[in-house]
Amino acid sequence: MRRKIIAGAATLLAAVGTFTFVVTRAEAATQTLQSLAAAGGRYFGSATDNPELTDTAYTAILGGGEFGQTTPGNAMKWDTIEPTQGTFNYTKGDAVVTFAQAHNLKVRGHTLVWHNQLPGWVSALPAAQLQAALENHITQEATHYKGKVFAWDVVNEPFNDDGTFRTSPFYNAMGSDYIADAFRTARAADPDAKLYINDYNTDGQGAKADAMYNLVKSLKAAGVPIDGVGFQAHLAIQYGFPTNMQANLQRFADLGVDVAITELDVRMVLPRDSAKDATQATYYNNVVKACVAVTRCVGITIWDYTDKYSWVPSTFSGQGAALPWDENLVKKPTAYDAIVTGLGGTVQSPSASVTSAGPSPSKSASSSPPAAGACTATYKIVGSWPGGFQGEVSVTGKAGWTVRWTFANGQTISQLWGGTLSQSGSAVTVTPASWNNTPPATFGFLASWNGTNALPTVACS
Ligand code: G3I
């Protein structure tokens, strides 16, 4: 009898064990921004800051699997770490590292040398003492975080927008040699960390990007230990998308360095509306696709994930709504889904911020299976609310596709991303955006509806 009970318990344990395994596997398979990026060998991260780490709703998302990397937005800057000369305070930086380690987030160190958030004592030093102060700061901080950060923004924002070197206490004292000196000092302190130079408005080709390109080329030629270039990508929909971003990233990679998108956000003039959200989504999609298309683009970091903690409104009056989660920590269906599709994922369910008041979001309609050299399009309503809905069409098959359908109930598309729209009355024709020519491709749109929102019959040719 006793043997039977033990045998029964063993069977039960085995069953429980199997069940637990299956649940774990199912959880691991959940699609997140990080899981999609990791499938391509990249990370997807979010900046964070110390005050936010007490917001449990916020930390639940930051550490909940969407992200695989974080950057402290302020905690490792000079004024925080060495507010008075020779006195180092790592409390805030350590708090970010502790959170990151507990939630499986890699940490990018930001930043060792920057003209901003620099304590007054540095600017007040005689020029002859600047080099020693710079080297001591880098050595102390990079040694403290050795093994805890995988990369450092060693030098941040060295250029003016016209491509000239920015004046700073370091530049004034040492000329542009402070840059090479900073990299050599950082390498000596932490030989394993990837060492980056980082700037904004270098995302697309132009004078500032050219200046950065020439600098990195000359640093490499001189044997300076530089491993990567960070492109901040603080974008604004009212200023247009950076010129030839993918080609720009690629030319840096061709110098033999990694590249990374380090501080991505896409701001707009407030208030938000569906058209601005759609444009913003296009920008997010374009940035992600530019990175994914460049083998040496190692990862993407958004500059915090929620509008609740964005730096934008306090810097640019009347602007904001720059991040994929809104101020209530709700995912924006547009921006979030645009990142997902940019990373090669498919939108799996309606985003939480959409009130479902129309057809079931899971409804979809596909064109006929493709013959050789043809294509298939699947039309899906991913979210719907009174008067409006978001649709998405995924295309498989041949490059150079054209998708057509006819709306039966007067629906009208207001914005479309990932393709070029032509709507004439109820007849819709969509051809691919230049970067979206080759399937699997996805495009999305916002449209109006009233009364009935029937799924159309889609054709792909
Ligand atoms: O800590 C003080 C606090 O004691 C004081 O009461 C408060 C009053 O305004 O200011 C607090 O400091 C603020 C600091 O963030 C910490 O919250 C500063 O005013 C504020 O200017 C500072 O803004 C940071 C900004 O860099 C400074 O340039 C942003 O949070 C941070 O996100 C932003 O990050 C930069 C990157 O490092 C480099 N690239 C551009 C990016 C955006 O500006």
Side-chain angles (χ1 to χ4, degrees):
M1 173 67 179
R2 192 161 179 266
R3 211 174 292 139
K4 267 189 187 162
I5 290 172
I6 291 170
T11 308
L12 186 62
L13 275 175
V16 169
T18 306
F19 179 68
T20 305
F21 176 70
V22 169
V23 168
T24 307
R25 285 280 297 264
E27 282 171 353
T30 302
Q31 175 178 286
T32 65
L33 302 182
Q34 171 59 21
S35 72
L36 291 168
R42 297 181 178 81
Y43 59 82
F44 197 96
S46 167
T48 192
D49 207 357
N50 299 78
E52 307 161 22
L53 295 178
T54 57
D55 178 342
T56 52
Y58 167 88
T59 55
I61 296 172
L62 181 67
E66 285 283 6
F67 306 108
Q69 179 272 330
T70 192
T71 305
N74 287 297
M76 293 185 184
K77 290 173 177 173
W78 198 314
D79 63 349
T80 301
I81 296 291
E82 192 185 6
T84 57
Q85 187 165 19
T87 304
F88 290 82
N89 184 344
Y90 297 108
T91 313
K92 289 184 173 174
D94 288 356
V96 174
V97 169
T98 300
F99 180 88
Q101 290 177 340
H103 297 87
N104 222 7
L105 306 172
K106 306 199 297 181
V107 180
R108 286 191 93 253
H110 175 83
T111 171
L112 293 170
V113 182
W114 190 27
H115 66 278
N116 206 348
Q117 289 173 288
L118 191 62
W121 67 263
V122 180
S123 319
L125 283 179
Q129 294 178 27
L130 238 297
Q131 182 170 359
L134 173 134
E135 291 176 0
N136 187 50
H137 179 78
I138 294 173
T139 302
Q140 297 294 328
E141 183 167 2
T143 301
H144 180 84
Y145 287 114
K146 189 165 150 44
K148 295 176 179 164
V149 303
F150 73 97
W152 269 114
D153 287 329
V154 177
V155 173
N156 195 40
E157 302 174 5
F159 289 110
N160 296 311
D161 275 351
D162 64 2
T164 55
F165 279 108
R166 184 193 290 276
T167 53
S168 68
F170 312 110
Y171 184 79
N172 292 343
M174 301 169 66
S176 62
D177 288 350
Y178 84 89
I179 298 172
D181 190 53
F183 276 89
R184 292 195 173 102
T185 307
R187 175 68 95 230
D190 185 354
D192 296 327
K194 298 284 188 192
L195 305 182
Y196 278 70
I197 196 163
N198 189 49
D199 215 326
Y200 62 89
N201 285 352
T202 50
D203 320 301
Q205 290 177 342
K208 193 171 184 180
D210 289 347
M212 179 65 91
Y213 178 84
N214 291 330
L215 172 65
V216 174
K217 193 173 178 183
S218 68
L219 291 173
K220 291 287 286 179
V224 175
I226 180 169
D227 303 308
V229 181
F231 297 82
Q232 294 185 7
H234 289 296
L235 307 183
I237 60 169
Q238 66 272 24
Y239 299 138
F241 192 77
T243 308
N244 300 332
M245 185 168 188
Q246 180 187 325
N248 191 45
L249 299 181
Q250 187 63 57
R251 70 172 169 155
F252 280 89
D254 291 343
L255 291 175
V257 289
D258 289 340
V259 296
I261 307 300
T262 52
E263 306 183 12
L264 174 60
D265 50 24
V266 184
R267 64 185 187 272
M268 61 181 68
V269 175
L270 297 171
R272 261 177 87 185
D273 62 30
S274 59
K276 292 176 191 172
D277 278 3
T279 304
Q280 178 188 58
T282 310
Y283 279 41
Y284 271 110
N285 186 270
N286 286 347
V287 172
V288 171
K289 283 210 163 185
C291 177
V292 166
V294 174
T295 306
R296 289 198 74 155
C297 187
V298 298
I300 298 165
T301 307
I302 47 178
W303 205 238
D304 225 315
Y305 71 84
T306 160
D307 293 338
K308 185 175 183 181
Y309 296 121
S310 172
W311 67 291
V312 169
S314 61
T315 304
F316 299 102
S317 178
Q319 297 182 43
L323 293 162
W325 276 257
D326 71 13
E327 62 280 2
N328 297 313
L329 307 182
V330 175
K331 276 180 203 168
K332 299 174 187 173
T334 43
Y336 181 86
D337 293 349
I339 297 172
V340 166
T341 55
L343 290 169
T346 50
V347 176
Q348 294 191 318
S349 60
S351 298
S353 63
V354 175
T355 312
S356 201
S360 160
S362 60
K363 272 191 180 174
S364 66
S366 297
S367 56
S368 309
C375 55
T376 306
T378 302
Y379 174 110
K380 194 158 79 171
I381 295 172
V382 295
S384 179
W385 54 96
F389 72 103
Q390 185 183 348
E392 184 186 275
V393 178
S394 3
V395 182
T396 57
K398 72 173 180 111
W401 44 268
T402 300
V403 174
R404 291 186 180 83
W405 69 85
T406 301
F407 280 128
N409 317 109
Q411 299 95 326
T412 305
I413 294 178
S414 55
Q415 283 287 320
L416 183 138
W417 55 98
T420 302
L421 167 71
S422 137
Q423 178 164 3
S424 168
S426 57
V428 175
T429 305
V430 180
T431 51
S434 56
W435 48 266
N436 211 13
N437 197 43
T438 309
T442 303
F443 64 87
F445 62 87
L446 295 173
S448 62
W449 71 285
N450 200 1
T452 306
N453 191 7
L455 292 169
T457 302
V458 281
C460 191
S461 59

